Amino acid sequence: MDFYYKNYLISDDNSKINQKVILNFLAQSYWASRRSPERILKSIETSHCFGVYHGDNQIGFARVITDEATFYYICDVFVLEGYRGQGIGKKLIEIIINLEEYEWMTGVLGTKDAHGLYEQYGFEKDSERFMRRAPQRSSQ
C-alpha cells in the first residue's frame, strides 16, 4: 500500500527499503545499537515494514510485529534528522494504527523519549503491566 503525505511516499513495499539507511540509523540508536546487522535484516524480513521516501531517498521507517489476530508491536520508528519537524513521524504512526488489519488489535510500543507523540494516538504509559527480558548474549 502506498500513501502520500506532502512530498513524501509512505509504503509497505519491502522492495523499496534501503537496508543501508536502516542499518546506519539503528546502529546509532539507543534501542538497537547492540543488534547485529544480520539480526536487523532478519527483523525487516519477518515484519510488516513501512518506509518513508522523499524521491528515491528513504528518510523514515517503522516496523510492525503482529500475531495477525490480537496484538501488534510498533518498533524501530525513525525519521532522519533533516526531515524531522514536518509531521512525517505523526503521519507514519497515523497510517499504521488506522490500517484495517490493526484497528481492532491491541497496540504496544516502547519509547524512552517520544511519549507525547504516541499519546496523541491513544497509547498510554503502562509500566506496571509490561515486563521485558533483555537478551542474555550480544547478537552475532
Side-chain angles (χ1 to χ4, degrees):
M1 293 170 282
D2 288 350
F3 304 88
Y4 294 91
Y5 174 71
K6 298 182 179 180
N7 295 323
Y8 304 101
L9 167 67
I10 300 173
S11 177
D12 68 348
D13 181 350
N14 276 9
S15 71
K16 292 178 173 20
I17 287 178
N18 183 327
Q19 295 176 345
K20 185 176 180 179
V21 169
I22 296 167
L23 290 171
N24 287 342
F25 186 91
L26 293 181
Q28 304 301 314
S29 71
Y30 70 81
W31 68 88
S33 61
R34 293 178 42 140
R35 290 185 209 156
S36 70
E38 295 79 18
R39 293 240 179 239
I40 291 171
L41 294 175
K42 180 68 173 178
S43 72
I44 292 169
E45 179 184 319
T46 59
S47 300
H48 189 184
C49 297
F50 296 82
V52 183
Y53 307 92
H54 186 228
D56 292 333
N57 298 316
Q58 182 162 0
I59 58 99
F61 181 74
R63 193 164 66 83
V64 180
I65 304 165
T66 181
D67 66 2
E68 299 183 6
T70 62
F71 172 86
Y72 68 89
Y73 177 71
I74 300 174
C75 54
D76 294 342
V77 179
F78 70 84
V79 173
L80 295 179
E81 190 169 343
Y83 293 89
R84 294 179 189 162
Q86 301 179 52
I88 298 167
K90 290 179 181 180
K91 190 63 174 180
L92 178 58
I93 297 303
E94 178 184 310
I95 286 169
I96 292 170
I97 66 169
N98 287 315
L99 287 174
E100 186 175 342
E101 62 198 281
Y102 298 136
E103 67 181 341
W104 297 106
M105 293 184 195
T106 298
V108 176
L109 57 84
T111 185
K112 186 188 275 188
D113 56 5
H115 298 93
L117 167 66
Y118 297 112
E119 287 170 347
Q120 295 175 49
Y121 297 98
F123 288 90
E124 300 173 352
K125 291 181 186 179
D126 193 358
S127 60
E128 292 179 18
R129 180 171 176 197
F130 293 100
M131 299 175 73
R132 78 175 183 98
R133 180 177 183 269
Q136 301 303 298
R137 297 183 345 181
S138 294
S139 62
Q140 301 188 37

